[in-house]
Amino acid sequence: MKHLNKLVLAIFMFAGLSSQAQDSNNPWSLAFGVNALDGGRVSAAGSVADQFSEYFNAKDYWSMVPSVSYVSVSKYVGDNFSFGLTGSFNRLEKLVLPRVGGEYVVATVDEMYYGIDAVVNYSFGTYLNAFEPTAHVGGGYTFIGDYSGGTVNGGLGLNIWLSEKIGLTLRSTYKYSFDDVRTEMPTHMQHFAGVIFKFGGKDTDGDGIYDKDDACPDVFGLAQFQGCPDTDSDGIVDASDACPDVFGLAEFQGCPDTDGDGIADKDDSCPDVKGPKELNGCPDTDGDGIADKDDKCPDVKGPKENQGCPWPDRDGDKVFDKDDKCPDEPGTVENNGCPEMSEAVIKSLNDYAKTILFESGKAAFQQRTFTVLQNITGILKEYPSAKFSIEGHTDSDGSDALNQKLSEDRAAAVKDYLIENGINASRLTSKGFGESMPIDSNKTRAGKANNRRVEVKLIK
C-alpha cells in the first residue's frame, strides 16, 4: 500500500490539468490498484436501506490486502460504451453472519478471494474537463476459499482525469450471488480504487492530433488546421497556400505582394515596383501601354510595333516614314505622304496624252509617240501614290461597236506601256468610251482629230 501511494503521487505530479474520457482517440484503457470486500453485509441485511447503511464503514466490514490487487482492461466500442474484463484477488477476513436477532455478528475468517468479471461500462461524459461519472453492468465468477459461483454485477464509478491519458478511477460493484448458502458464496460488494491509463490512439506525425482526426497525418501540423502545417506562419495552411514557404496574404492565397500593387509577387513581373495589372505589375512611365522594361523609349510614347518608340517622320508631314510613300518630301496624309498633284501637272499630263498617236484604226503606237509615253511615265513616277484612269475616245467614223472596242484597246495599250515601264498596276485603270464623249465636231477633219484622243485623269 505504501508503494501504491508513492505511485499515485508520482502520477499526480506528472499529469496535466486538461483531459478527456475514454473515446475512439484512445480506445483502450488499463486500470490497476486496490480492491476492498465489504464482508457480505449486503447479503446479511434484510432491507435494501439496511444493506447500504454501512457503505462507508470500512473499519468494521471491509477486507483489503496491502498491494495492487486488481487489473482491468477495456475497449471503447462507441456511443459512450466500453467493454472489458477485471481480474482481482483479496483475502476475506470479515464476514457478516446472517442476522437472527439483535446486532449483526462479524465473524473473523481467512479465505482467499479471486474474481474474474466481464464489464459493460457506460460513461455519462466528462464534466469540468476532469470528472467522468460511469455506470456498469456485467457478470463474473468468484472463488472464496473452497467455494465458487457466478454473480450478476452492477454499480457506479467515477474517473478523475489528470491528463488526456492518465487518471484516477473509483468504482463500487454490487455482486449478486445465486448461491443459497450465503456463508459459502455470499452476495457482496467490491470497491476499487486505482490508476487508469488510456492508450491505442495513433499519432504518426507526433503533433498531438490523432491520425483519425488529422487531415495531414504524416506531417507535423497545428490543431487549428486539423493537424496540417503552416510553414510560413501566415495563417494559411500549406495545402491551400500558393507560397507555403513565404509569409503572404489570404487575398493572394498566401503569397506576398511586396510592392503593394495588388498583384501577388509570383504573378508580378516587377515585384519590387508598382505597376498596373494589365502590364503584369510593371510600370509604364510614358503611358503608351508598354511596360518600361520592354520600352526602348520609356519616357516618350510610342507604338508597340516600334518597341515603344515614336515612328520617325523625316519630312515632317505627319505621315510616319514607314507609311510615307515620299519620306523625304513633304506631302499630305490623304496622298500617303506624297505631295498632291497640282492642276498644272495634270494639265501637262493631258497635253502629253493628246499627242499620243496610233496607227489608223489600230491600238498600235506610232513610233514618234514613244517619247510622249516616256514623259508621261516620268511624271507618274514623281507621284508614286497617285492613281490614274486612262480613258480612250474615238471619232464617229465607223460603227459604234467598232469604235467602242477601239477606244478600250487604245486605253489598255497606254496602261500596259506604263506598267511595263515601272508604274504599279494597282495605280492604273483603263476604260473606253468610243465616240460617246466628243470634245469637238465630227464634221470636220480637225474636229475628228481632236476627238481621237487618250486622257489621263487623277483618281481622288
Side-chain angles (χ1 to χ4, degrees):
M1 190 68 178
K2 177 174 67 175
H3 297 295
L4 179 62
N5 289 339
K6 291 181 179 179
L7 176 61
V8 172
L9 179 61
I11 292 171
F12 266 113
M13 294 174 65
F14 174 77
L17 296 178
S18 62
S19 57
Q20 296 177 356
Q22 182 184 358
D23 55 27
S24 57
N25 284 330
N26 287 286
W28 288 95
S29 73
L30 171 66
F32 61 89
V34 296
N35 76 90
L37 303 173
D38 78 342
R41 169 65 181 267
V42 295
S43 177
S47 67
V48 173
D50 199 14
Q51 288 180 17
F52 293 96
S53 64
E54 299 295 324
Y55 179 84
F56 294 104
N57 191 350
K59 178 181 177 181
D60 293 333
Y61 298 106
W62 289 12
S63 299
M64 295 178 62
V65 293
S67 67
V68 173
S69 57
Y70 89 92
V71 175
S72 179
V73 177
S74 68
K75 187 178 188 300
Y76 181 77
V77 294
D79 294 328
N80 287 2
F81 285 96
S82 59
F83 175 80
L85 290 173
T86 299
S88 62
F89 78 93
N90 211 321
R91 181 176 293 275
L92 182 62
E93 298 175 335
K94 301 172 183 178
L95 181 63
V96 180
L97 298 177
R99 183 177 180 180
V100 177
E103 296 297 326
Y104 290 101
V105 176
V106 180
T108 300
V109 297
D110 187 11
E111 301 287 353
M112 288 303 298
Y113 175 100
Y114 299 95
I116 181 72
D117 299 288
V119 179
V120 176
N121 196 69
Y122 178 78
S123 169
F124 292 98
T126 303
Y127 300 89
L128 300 179
N129 209 30
F131 299 96
E132 179 194 10
T134 63
H136 60 274
V137 295
Y141 204 80
T142 301
F143 300 84
I144 300 178
D146 294 330
Y147 302 100
S148 64
T151 61
V152 174
N153 307 333
L156 299 173
L158 176 67
N159 295 326
I160 304 172
W161 293 104
L162 309 175
S163 72
E164 184 181 9
K165 298 182 179 180
I166 302 173
L168 300 179
T169 180
L170 303 172
R171 187 175 70 188
S172 289
T173 302
Y174 183 95
K175 293 186 171 182
Y176 179 81
S177 172
F178 294 98
D179 199 320
D180 292 334
V181 183
R182 71 157 305 282
T183 56
E184 296 176 356
M185 182 55 58
T187 295
H188 60 286
M189 289 194 72
Q190 190 174 15
H191 310 293
F192 301 87
V195 182
I196 184 169
F197 300 88
K198 291 189 297 183
F199 61 95
K202 188 177 180 182
D203 179 14
T204 301
D205 54 19
D207 58 5
I209 302 165
Y210 295 105
D211 288 0
K212 75 179 194 65
D213 299 320
D214 197 329
C216 303
D218 298 316
V219 185
F220 189 95
L222 305 174
Q224 61 264 41
F225 298 126
Q226 287 186 279
C228 288
D230 175 19
T231 302
D232 54 16
S233 301
D234 58 4
I236 303 165
V237 66
D238 286 359
S240 303
D241 197 328
C243 302
D245 299 315
V246 185
F247 188 94
L249 305 173
E251 61 185 297
F252 301 121
Q253 293 183 292
C255 290
D257 175 21
T258 303
D259 56 17
D261 58 4
I263 304 168
D265 288 359
K266 71 181 183 67
D267 302 319
D268 198 329
S269 298
C270 302
D272 299 314
V273 186
K274 283 188 177 182
K277 185 174 292 186
E278 56 269 23
L279 296 177
N280 293 326
C282 289
D284 174 20
T285 303
D286 56 16
D288 59 4
I290 303 166
D292 289 355
K293 69 183 185 67
D294 301 319
D295 198 330
K296 296 296 183 182
C297 303
D299 299 314
V300 183
K301 284 187 177 182
K304 186 175 183 180
E305 296 77 14
N306 200 37
Q307 295 181 296
C309 292
W311 293 110
D313 178 17
R314 293 198 300 271
D315 56 16
D317 59 3
K318 297 184 179 179
V319 180
F320 297 132
D321 289 355
K322 71 181 186 69
D323 303 317
D324 199 329
K325 302 296 184 183
C326 305
D328 297 309
E329 185 178 4
T332 64
V333 174
E334 294 78 10
N335 202 33
N336 297 318
C338 290
E340 296 280 358
M341 293 184 71
S342 65
E343 293 296 329
V345 173
I346 295 173
K347 182 178 183 304
S348 177
L349 272 176
N350 283 296
D351 286 345
Y352 279 122
K354 289 177 183 178
T355 62
I356 296 173
L357 301 176
F358 297 91
E359 297 293 338
S360 179
K362 298 179 180 179
F365 299 116
Q366 293 184 12
Q367 189 62 38
R368 55 183 171 170
T369 292
F370 286 105
T371 301
V372 173
L373 291 171
Q374 291 171 1
N375 290 333
I376 293 174
T377 302
I379 293 173
L380 265 58
K381 286 183 177 180
E382 291 179 10
Y383 300 91
S385 64
K387 295 184 178 181
F388 300 91
S389 173
I390 312 299
E391 299 178 356
H393 301 272
T394 66
D395 59 23
S396 60
D397 290 348
S399 68
D400 289 348
L402 288 176
N403 285 335
Q404 178 63 36
K405 185 174 186 311
L406 181 60
S407 67
E408 291 174 356
D409 291 345
R410 285 179 171 177
V414 174
K415 174 185 173 185
D416 292 342
Y417 177 89
L418 295 173
I419 293 171
E420 290 170 2
N421 285 271
I423 305 302
N424 194 305
S426 65
R427 299 174 56 199
L428 303 173
T429 59
S430 64
K431 186 182 296 186
F433 292 93
E435 60 185 75
S436 64
M437 299 177 66
I439 59 173
D440 204 344
S441 172
N442 280 309
K443 293 180 179 181
T444 65
R445 187 169 183 169
K448 290 180 180 181
N450 288 333
N451 288 335
R452 294 192 300 272
R453 70 194 186 279
V454 172
E455 294 180 352
V456 180
K457 291 187 176 180
L458 177 67
I459 299 175
K460 295 184 178 180

